[in-house]
């Protein structure tokens, strides 16, 4: 029913247990949705009443119905999922939450289901399955590296590849690195730490350590890739915006038979010395249109960290746009 631009709708759910999971502790999920969608939701028994502007009510109605559907299928719903689902339907009202949230990539050692949380993440996973070389470009917090790691571990566990190679450029591999204590491995370890952290988040410490010791999983600076051919491997190059064009070409030509390469980076966070061209930015221009190479781009709406991160990224992007406009 709609009057004066306002609309009221209701939803009835058969299973009280699933409904309680949908509502969340102390109806926390419903309260969050009220804030996100700008509607009022009243719960009476197994029925929900939604009041607000027509477009907001229709969105909330679709979101609640779809979230209930994935709860029925055993999905452990959290408040962050409500936020992500709202973003997805706000972008595309015809999107199917089930197709995205239930696209399980891997079950981590902590029993967390690793699955996409945005339309771009879903497209990213599909690209990694389909193409041998995928570039994912976008801001921090969009899951570029984490999902690539999850896909790599999934491929390894399912025997689709024989090893995983994780590489990162050490952008300060000159004088500053030389003054650090320890051998070469200890000097470059701080640059590789994020890759280890993601790996240990997916596999228990003992298993991950054993795979590294056996050489089945290799975490190394980009420079260590020179002169090698990587067959039957899932290869990830992280922080690729900090490669030079020469380094990028070197890395891309390491790909051997039966291998996949995923290259991740954020072209707004280039730390190369002045005058050096980013290999990632250059690859965007040189490789687009080549069969077998696919580019996936993320934006601030795909950030899956704390909501403030999304706002911070947006603020910096707006500042950059204003500065570029002044220069014109």
């Amino acid at each position: 029913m709609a009057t004066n631009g306002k609309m009221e709708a209701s939803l009835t759910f058969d299973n009280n247990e699933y409904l309680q999971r949908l509502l969340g502790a102390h109806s926390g999920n419903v309260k969050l949705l009220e804030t996100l969608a700008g509607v009022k939701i009243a719960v009476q028994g197994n029925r929900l009443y939604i009041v607000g502007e027509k477009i907001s009510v229709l969105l909330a109605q679709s979101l609640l119905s779809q979230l209930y559907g994935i709860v029925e299928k055993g999905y452990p719903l959290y408040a962050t999922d409500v936020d992500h689902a709202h973003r997805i339907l706000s972008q595309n009202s015809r999107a199917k939450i089930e197709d995205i949230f239930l696209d399980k990539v891997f079950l981590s050692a902590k029993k967390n289901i690793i699955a996409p949380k945005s339309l771009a993440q879903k497209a990213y996973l599909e690209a990694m399955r389909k193409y041998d070389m995928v570039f994912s470009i976008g801001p921090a917090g969009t899951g570029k590296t984490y999902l690539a790691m999850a896909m790599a571990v999934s491929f390894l566990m399912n025997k689709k590849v024989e090893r995983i190679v994780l590489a990162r450029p050490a952008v300060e591999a000159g004088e500053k690195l030389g003054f650090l204590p320890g051998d070469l491995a200890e000097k470059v370890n701080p640059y590789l730490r994020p890759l280890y952290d993601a790996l240990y988040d997916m596999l228990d410490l003992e298993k991950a350590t054993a795979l590294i010791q056996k050489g089945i999983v290799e975490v190394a600076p980009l420079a260590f890739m020179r002169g090698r051919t990587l067959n039957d491997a899932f290869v990830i190059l992280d922080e690729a915006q900090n490669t030079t064009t020469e380094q990028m070409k070197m890395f891309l030509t390491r790909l051997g038979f039966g291998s996949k390469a995923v290259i991740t980076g954020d072209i707004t966070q280039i730390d190369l010395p002045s005058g050096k061209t980013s290999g990632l930015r250059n690859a965007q221009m040189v490789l687009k249109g080549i069969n077998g190479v696919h580019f996936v781009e993320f934006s601030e709406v795909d950030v899956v960290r704390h909501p403030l991160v999304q706002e911070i990224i947006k603020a910096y992007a707006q500042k950059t746009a204003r500065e570029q406009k002044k220069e014109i």
Side-chain angles (χ1 to χ4, degrees):
M1 181 176 67
T3 57
N4 300 325
K6 295 280 185 179
M7 178 179 178
E8 180 181 317
S10 65
L11 291 168
T12 303
F13 299 102
D14 298 329
N15 188 299
N16 190 58
E17 180 185 347
Y18 295 149
L19 175 57
Q20 291 308 311
R21 294 181 193 173
L22 173 66
L23 300 178
H26 309 294
S27 296
N29 292 341
V30 168
K31 292 173 184 175
L32 174 59
L33 181 54
E34 285 183 315
T35 302
L36 293 171
V39 296
K40 292 293 183 183
I41 302 174
V43 182
Q44 294 182 10
N46 65 341
R47 180 168 295 205
L48 272 60
Y49 294 90
I50 312 166
V51 179
E53 298 296 327
K54 182 178 179 180
I55 191 169
S56 299
V57 169
L58 291 175
L59 186 148
Q61 192 175 23
S62 174
L63 192 148
L64 287 165
S65 296
Q66 291 201 54
L67 289 179
Y68 182 83
I70 64 173
V71 168
E72 280 186 308
K73 296 186 177 180
Y75 187 87
L77 189 68
Y78 296 100
T80 51
D81 298 313
V82 177
D83 182 25
H84 297 146
H86 177 262
R87 288 193 219 173
I88 291 168
L89 291 183
S90 295
Q91 285 181 268
N92 182 356
S93 61
R94 296 183 178 181
K96 301 295 184 185
I97 300 300
E98 177 179 324
D99 292 344
I100 299 171
F101 282 19
L102 298 188
D103 183 6
K104 185 172 75 173
V105 183
F106 191 70
L107 184 65
S108 75
K110 299 175 182 177
K111 304 302 179 185
N112 293 327
I113 296 173
I114 300 174
K117 301 295 183 183
S118 73
L119 293 168
Q121 286 193 354
K122 173 68 173 175
Y124 183 32
L125 293 181
E126 291 176 347
M128 286 191 283
R129 292 174 179 133
K130 182 177 180 180
Y131 297 95
D132 287 339
M133 186 173 290
V134 177
F135 287 80
S136 63
I137 302 171
T142 49
K144 304 183 302 295
T145 303
Y146 196 78
L147 286 177
M149 291 281 285
M151 187 65 78
V153 173
S154 175
F155 265 59
L156 182 67
M157 295 297 115
N158 289 303
K159 304 188 185 303
K160 293 181 180 179
V161 295
E162 293 181 0
R163 57 180 169 155
I164 298 173
V165 179
L166 311 170
R168 253 192 172 203
V171 292
E172 292 183 344
E175 288 186 347
K176 292 182 182 179
L177 199 60
F179 286 105
L180 293 174
D183 58 22
L184 181 59
E186 291 170 324
K187 290 176 189 290
V188 300
N189 192 58
Y191 296 96
L192 305 175
R193 189 74 255 163
L195 295 175
Y196 282 109
D197 290 343
L199 182 64
Y200 292 140
D201 195 43
M202 291 170 200
L203 300 171
D204 62 67
L205 181 62
E206 186 177 334
K207 187 166 190 175
T209 302
L211 290 173
I212 292 170
Q213 289 175 344
K214 292 176 182 177
I216 296 172
V217 174
E218 178 183 356
V219 186
L222 176 60
F224 286 21
M225 299 297 107
R226 191 173 297 279
R228 302 174 62 184
T229 300
L230 302 170
N231 295 315
D232 299 310
F234 198 115
V235 192
I236 300 172
L237 173 59
D238 191 35
E239 296 289 331
Q241 75 276 5
N242 289 326
T243 62
T244 63
T245 54
E246 296 81 9
Q247 287 175 324
M248 178 62 79
K249 181 181 177 183
M250 178 273 290
F251 173 81
L252 297 179
T253 53
R254 300 307 94 202
L255 195 66
F257 292 105
S259 292
K260 281 186 177 285
V262 179
I263 300 93
T264 76
D266 177 2
I267 55 175
T268 69
Q269 299 277 353
I270 298 172
D271 299 318
L272 291 170
S274 179
K276 284 284 187 180
T277 301
S278 166
L280 181 59
R281 192 187 292 276
N282 180 257
Q284 274 186 294
M285 298 182 289
V286 174
L287 301 180
K288 273 195 171 176
I290 294 181
N291 287 334
V293 177
H294 190 76
F295 287 81
V296 178
E297 296 192 8
F298 294 88
S299 69
E300 72 275 358
V301 299
D302 301 302
V303 172
V304 292
R305 291 181 182 169
H306 193 288
L308 271 178
V309 176
Q310 184 180 12
E311 295 303 316
I312 289 167
I313 292 170
K314 190 186 298 182
Y316 274 103
Q318 290 170 346
K319 178 177 180 291
T320 301
R322 288 195 299 269
E323 290 173 347
Q324 290 174 343
K325 193 173 181 180
K326 287 179 182 178
E327 292 173 1
I328 296 174

